[in-house]
């Protein structure tokens, strides 16, 4: 329910308090930011943590960023968020390594329920710092502007990562020269 309420708040500026789904969903939004038209796809694997597929294998390969949400009044949701952060940040063992690390934003939701808080701000902040993530706490129910700014923040991190990736990518002619050299190696002597 945490992720869906933040996503709906961002997309529609409305708050839906009691929405739960056992199905994955993909939401789309067109956004104009930093002089560019962006087409966002926001993927929610499942709003029920216990039913969510935990592997994230395919998402790790195509997602440009992750927003990991937990409920500050529910310790088990924080444990699930922590496991997701560890899964995203674990060293890539496949041949499909990313040139730049994915942007990750850890979000403590339901800040309006501080009176029943089970997860301290410091715990969220420490998890984020230890795993190279951004961090914030907010209330999807009461803070529409903060929710929008949270999404803009992760989108800007993703755009920064794209710029870094472009700087690291060798030019086409240089990569082709390296490929040809690797295939044919040094000149062979004529017989």
């Amino acid at each position: 329910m945490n992720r869906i309420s933040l996503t709906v708040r961002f997309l529609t500026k409305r708050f839906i308090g009691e929405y739960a789904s056992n199905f994955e969903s993909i939401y789309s939004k067109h956004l104009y930011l930093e002089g560019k038209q962006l087409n966002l796809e926001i993927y929610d694997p499942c709003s029920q943590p216990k039913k969510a597929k935990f592997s994230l294998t395919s998402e790790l390969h195509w997602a440009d960023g992750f927003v990991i949400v937990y409920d500050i009044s529910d310790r088990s949701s924080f444990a699930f968020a922590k496991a997701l952060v560890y899964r995203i940040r674990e060293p890539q063992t496949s041949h499909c390594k990313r040139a730049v690390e994915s942007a990750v934003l850890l979000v403590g939701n339901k800040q309006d329920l501080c009176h029943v808080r089970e997860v301290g701000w410091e715990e969220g902040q420490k998890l984020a710092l230890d795993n190279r993530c951004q961090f914030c706490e907010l209330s999807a129910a009461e803070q529409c502007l903060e929710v929008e700014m949270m999404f803009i923040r992760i989108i800007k991190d993703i755009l920064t990562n794209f710029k870094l990736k472009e700087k690291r990518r060798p030019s086409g002619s240089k990569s082709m020269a390296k490929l040809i050299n690797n295939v044919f190696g040094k000149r062979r002597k004529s017989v």
Side-chain angles (χ1 to χ4, degrees):
M1 185 167 14
N2 283 315
R3 291 185 306 272
I4 193 74
S5 61
L6 284 171
T7 304
V8 170
R9 185 64 127 166
F10 175 63
L11 297 173
T12 68
K13 307 224 184 300
R14 294 183 342 211
F15 176 72
I16 298 175
E18 293 300 320
Y19 180 87
S21 172
N22 295 327
F23 303 100
E24 57 189 27
S25 301
I26 296 179
Y27 304 92
S28 297
K29 181 174 178 84
H30 301 289
L31 182 71
Y32 192 75
L33 183 68
E34 295 185 353
K36 295 179 181 164
Q37 176 69 38
L38 303 173
N39 299 315
L40 307 177
E41 286 189 348
I42 301 170
Y43 172 71
D44 179 13
C46 179
S47 64
Q48 300 298 313
K50 291 170 181 56
K51 299 192 189 271
K53 59 183 179 186
F54 186 70
S55 70
L56 290 179
T57 303
S58 64
E59 292 82 359
L60 287 172
H61 294 289
W62 67 260
D64 298 312
F66 297 88
V67 178
I68 307 297
V69 183
Y70 66 92
D71 176 344
I72 68 165
S73 66
D74 180 2
R75 173 131 326 256
S76 67
S77 74
F78 182 71
F80 187 74
K82 183 187 284 190
L84 288 175
V85 167
Y86 289 165
R87 175 72 176 106
I88 292 165
R89 288 299 191 225
E90 75 185 9
Q92 303 273 332
T93 55
S94 71
H95 66 281
C96 208
K97 292 183 180 178
R98 290 181 163 266
V100 177
E101 194 172 62
S102 295
V104 178
L105 176 59
L106 180 65
V107 180
N109 191 22
K110 300 191 179 180
Q111 194 178 39
D112 54 309
L113 300 179
C114 276
H115 58 283
V116 290
R117 179 186 287 272
E118 291 183 6
V119 182
W121 183 90
E122 298 79 15
E123 290 176 88
Q125 177 70 19
K126 181 174 179 359
L127 177 62
L129 285 173
D130 291 349
N131 292 280
R132 301 168 313 284
C133 304
Q134 297 275 349
F135 174 71
C136 71
E137 274 193 4
L138 50 74
S139 168
E142 297 180 353
Q143 298 174 312
C144 184
L145 182 61
E146 286 79 355
V147 170
E148 184 173 353
M149 295 313 297
M150 176 210 67
F151 273 97
I152 299 298
R153 184 171 158 191
I154 189 81
I155 293 165
K156 284 183 176 183
D157 284 352
I158 292 167
L159 292 173
T160 299
N161 285 348
F162 282 153
K163 289 175 188 170
L164 290 173
K165 194 185 321 183
E166 288 299 314
K167 285 182 182 178
R168 291 183 181 181
R169 181 183 294 164
S171 72
S173 59
K174 288 181 183 175
S175 356
M176 187 55 77
K178 284 182 182 178
L179 175 64
I180 292 169
N181 190 35
N182 289 339
V183 171
F184 295 106
K186 294 183 180 179
R187 287 186 135 167
R188 298 179 193 177
K189 291 185 180 181
S190 304
V191 183

